[in-house]
Amino acid sequence: MRTPERPARLTFPDNFLWGSATASYQIEGSPTRHGGGPSVWDEMCRQPGKVYRGHSGMTACDHYKFFKEDVAMMKDLGHKVYRFSLSWPRLFPEGVGRRNDDGYRFYNELVDELLKADIKPFITMFHWDYPHALFQRGGWMNPESPEWFEAYAKDAVGFLSDRVTDWITMNETVVFLIMGHLTGEHAPGIRFGRADVMLMLKHALLSHGRACMAIREHAKKAPRVSYAPVAGVDYPVTETPEAIEAARKSTFAASPSNFFWSPSLYFEPVLKGVWPEDAAAYLGADDPKITQAELAVMNQKIDVLGLNFYQGNPVEPSADGVTKVAPKVGEPRTGFEWPVTPDAIYWSVRFFWERYGVPLFITENGTSALDWVALDGRVHDGGRIDYTRRYLQWLHRATAEGIPVEGYTHWSLMDNFEWAEGYKQRFGMVHVDFETLKRTPKDSAYWYRDVIASNGESIW
Ligand code: NOJ
């Protein structure tokens, strides 16, 4: 792994927002308590063999009960921003129509608690717990689905925007569509054909656009609208102009080898109002045939572009574009065996900034591990500290070059339900004992507190 040179002066902006991220189904627990409706994940967890050891989000971290303690913990750890998501079916048990006021009571109290602690709430409207009732009506396949999402977004903004200004419409569109509906590892866990999935993508992107409009129209305080896609890139292993250009080109091409994960499918319609020609050519008869009017709906102004960044693919230029660099024996990997590629966060930020010119926010970044509480009562997660330090050093390079990055929310605040992988691995800076629900800040949480207090100085 390469490390950037230590700069003479650190330049994380003065008001850089340091914090952490979570999602409703992964931490809250009690999804259907006090009138909430089931989500596709509740149904998925009930199906034998779908989730590691039959785990579910029924209890998770019981944040629904312990949210005040969790906010106090964040404050103690120095966090300035907290990215969390609303559970759509907690607020609308059938997805549309009847509102569940108890659901709002929970989020109202959470927001108030955060504001009292001087922590900025950064809300994701949809982080995968899709209302089961809407799935039964065809889910993302249904042409009415953008209206459903718009109605929900309008309502949520109506309730919370007197205090909340920062909104993300949806999280990692590629994952809930492709892993949820094409390969089937995620909820609802059904394998549809690619034409159907591309139609779902069209509806999801229209939903995003309509939610942006609803936020702008109904927000009581000037809103900042955001979107949080997966931001993996192909990145150059050598910094020659040819290598950089080849990596950039292949990042934004709809590559047949990994077509459904091509960033351009999820970024171009939203940020440029364009459906990539190479995607249309690849899909042929399965192309969703998005009209100009639909692209105009998808292409709403984004104030700050969220990047969920974990790993990039190292590439080298070759005669026909790029060649992937083969993994080296024993190269560093996370618990889930994701390659550790700190320099790629720099290229991700740089490529997305150059292409779209929208200020950025690292909405997710982090590593899983098999941490446990040691005999001394502490959790020594040195790997997470080193991982985060390296990624932040490279992120710093981007800010030093003048790229506007507004903040960083580490994934995750605390260990939580990792979807189909259940509680197998731990992503938190705070350890959670899933039997007793005891929270124990790991060494990384204290390390990160110093990073925040020094506005990043201590990463070197
Ligand atoms: C992406 C997702 O947004 C989040 O829900 C997940 O837990 C992390 N990455 C880690 O896989």
Side-chain angles (χ1 to χ4, degrees), residues 26 127-128 171-172 308 310 338 364 411 418-419 427:
Q26 296 183 268
H127 198 130
W128 310 351
N171 180 69
E172 296 195 353
N308 283 6
Y310 291 86
W338 299 354
E364 277 185 37
W411 187 272
E418 177 58 21
W419 309 111
F427 266 101

Side-chain angles (χ1 to χ4, degrees), residues 41 50-53 55 179 185-186 336 338 416-427:
W41 271 99
K50 291 281 195 186
V51 175
Y52 176 73
R53 293 194 179 167
H55 291 169
M179 294 180 73
E185 303 101 306
H186 274 207
F336 277 127
W338 299 354
N416 58 49
F417 177 75
E418 177 58 21
W419 309 111
E421 301 290 347
Y423 300 94
K424 185 179 189 179
Q425 300 242 355
R426 297 171 177 275
F427 266 101

Side-chain angles (χ1 to χ4, degrees), residues 6-11 396 400 457:
R6 192 196 193 289
R9 196 173 63 83
L10 276 180
T11 51
H396 180 268
E457 284 281 344

Side-chain angles (χ1 to χ4, degrees), residues 37 49 75 95 97 99 121 140 217 232 296 304 332 341 360 377 405 420:
K75 186 174 170 59
R99 172 195 298 136
W140 295 109
E217 196 179 330
V304 54
T341 59
L360 303 164
V405 183

Side-chain angles (χ1 to χ4, degrees), residues 7 9-13 16 18 345-346 349-350 360 362 392-407 455 459-460:
R9 196 173 63 83
L10 276 180
T11 51
F12 281 115
F16 194 78
W18 300 96
I345 198 171
Y346 163 75
V349 167
R350 177 166 156 183
L360 303 164
I362 302 299
L392 288 175
Q393 288 183 353
W394 282 99
L395 178 64
H396 180 268
R397 174 173 167 193
T399 62
E401 289 178 8
I403 303 179
V405 183
E406 297 186 357
N455 198 28
I459 62 172
W460 259 282

